Amino acid sequence: MSKASLFVVGQFVLFGVFAVMLIAFPAGGGLVAIGFGLVIVAFAVIVLGILEHLRRNAALPNITPTPNQSVRLVDTGVYKWIRHPLYSGVILGAFGAALAHGHVVPLLLIVVFVVFFSLKARYEESLLRGVYPQYSEYMRRTGRFVPGVNVI
């Protein structure tokens, strides 16, 4: 199995583990309004990322980190501020859901989300630099998951 495929499988396993955590641990004491607000923002970021990709390329973004060499680099819309808006939305949405849930275990799993998607993004970016000569410059001016922040 390729590294790209392992990342896809890993992300679905992570989603499943997170869902089990939300079910297995008792909810209560969560910051429900803030958590659901974050989930709504996360959903908006994901939708904006998909729509911008469709607008620029008439194609959906890849689920795998392997670049689709037949599409143009998207650096407009939400991609102007965030290189990986879909990953950002997933992390933010999971954080919001964990916050609304209120148990510490799902909240701790958010660290795994950040680490996993950071590794996946780094791998994907190594491939993107090979396909798009302007990608290194794009990386310098655009945050990975948060506008202006390239560390995570």
Side-chain angles (χ1 to χ4, degrees):
M1 187 177 282
S2 71
K3 191 172 185 176
S5 297
L6 287 172
F7 273 117
V8 173
V9 170
Q11 120 186 350
F12 284 108
V13 168
L14 185 58
F15 296 158
V17 168
F18 185 69
V20 168
M21 295 287 185
L22 292 177
I23 294 166
F25 291 95
L31 301 172
V32 177
I34 294 170
F36 281 123
L38 292 174
V39 169
I40 290 167
V41 170
F43 183 74
V45 168
I46 291 169
V47 168
L48 288 172
I50 292 170
L51 291 176
E52 187 63 18
H53 199 279
L54 277 169
R55 187 184 77 75
R56 291 281 305 226
N57 291 301
L60 289 170
N62 268 355
I63 190 169
T64 70
T66 307
N68 179 349
Q69 296 185 24
S70 65
V71 300
R72 294 179 294 174
L73 175 64
V74 180
D75 60 358
T76 56
V78 71
Y79 288 91
K80 183 177 180 176
W81 296 285
I82 306 169
R83 294 193 307 270
H84 301 280
L86 305 184
Y87 300 168
S88 298
V90 167
I91 293 166
L92 184 61
F95 177 67
L99 199 61
H101 182 270
H103 197 281
V104 70
V105 173
L107 274 169
L108 291 174
L109 193 57
I110 302 310
V111 174
V112 177
F113 271 76
V114 171
V115 170
F116 176 83
F117 282 103
S118 292
L119 292 171
K120 185 178 179 191
R122 279 192 198 124
Y123 174 67
E124 183 174 351
E125 289 171 342
S126 72
L127 300 175
L128 288 166
R129 283 192 303 271
V131 174
Y132 302 106
Q134 69 274 35
Y135 199 80
S136 291
E137 173 55 33
Y138 175 59
M139 288 176 66
R140 280 190 284 281
R141 71 175 189 270
T142 310
R144 179 177 283 149
F145 299 134
V146 178
V149 179
N150 285 315
V151 180
I152 57 171

